[in-house]
Amino acid sequence: MNLNNFTIRAQEAVQKAQEIALEQQHPSVENVHLMKGILDADEHIVPYLLKILNVNTDSFYKALDKMLGSLPRVTGGEQYLSAEASKALQKAVSFARD
């Protein structure tokens, strides 16, 4: 998968996801990292959409943090993209193509 085909914002979100996983010593980048990366990369659009959908953003952010905290930690090793995160990004590429 070539991230150069993504928009600048999407590239930033994936990069943020990788940084979050690295900071928290997670061996793989998971969908929860991608979601957190999307939220960190653009602080306006996603919260606006969540508000339209009547999502309690405080609870949403707390749930994300709880999920991140529950992931296994390792020291050393090379970070990789999980199968689920890879599928999510592949679907994004497919949607963008269509």
Side-chain angles (χ1 to χ4, degrees):
M1 172 178 9
N2 186 358
L3 290 181
N4 290 328
N5 294 334
F6 284 40
T7 64
I8 298 298
R9 287 278 182 189
Q11 290 176 23
E12 289 172 359
V14 172
Q15 183 178 3
K16 290 274 188 189
Q18 292 172 325
E19 290 171 8
I20 292 164
L22 188 62
E23 288 169 2
Q24 298 206 10
Q25 297 177 325
H26 297 150
S28 62
V29 177
E30 302 287 343
N31 283 337
V32 67
H33 295 108
L34 292 174
M35 187 68 222
K36 184 79 167 165
I38 290 168
L39 290 168
D40 287 354
D42 191 329
E43 299 170 358
H44 302 291
I45 293 175
V46 175
Y48 174 75
L49 293 173
L50 292 174
K51 186 176 180 180
I52 288 175
L53 296 170
N54 292 320
V55 173
N56 182 327
T57 54
D58 288 337
S59 295
F60 185 78
Y61 295 138
K62 286 178 186 175
L64 277 178
D65 290 337
K66 185 176 180 180
M67 291 171 71
L68 285 169
S70 70
L71 294 173
R73 295 173 185 250
V74 297
T75 54
E78 202 167 315
Q79 193 180 54
Y80 61 94
L81 193 61
S82 74
E84 293 81 17
S86 182
K87 285 179 191 175
L89 292 175
Q90 289 294 341
K91 272 196 172 184
V93 169
S94 177
F95 284 134
R97 240 183 286 137
D98 293 343

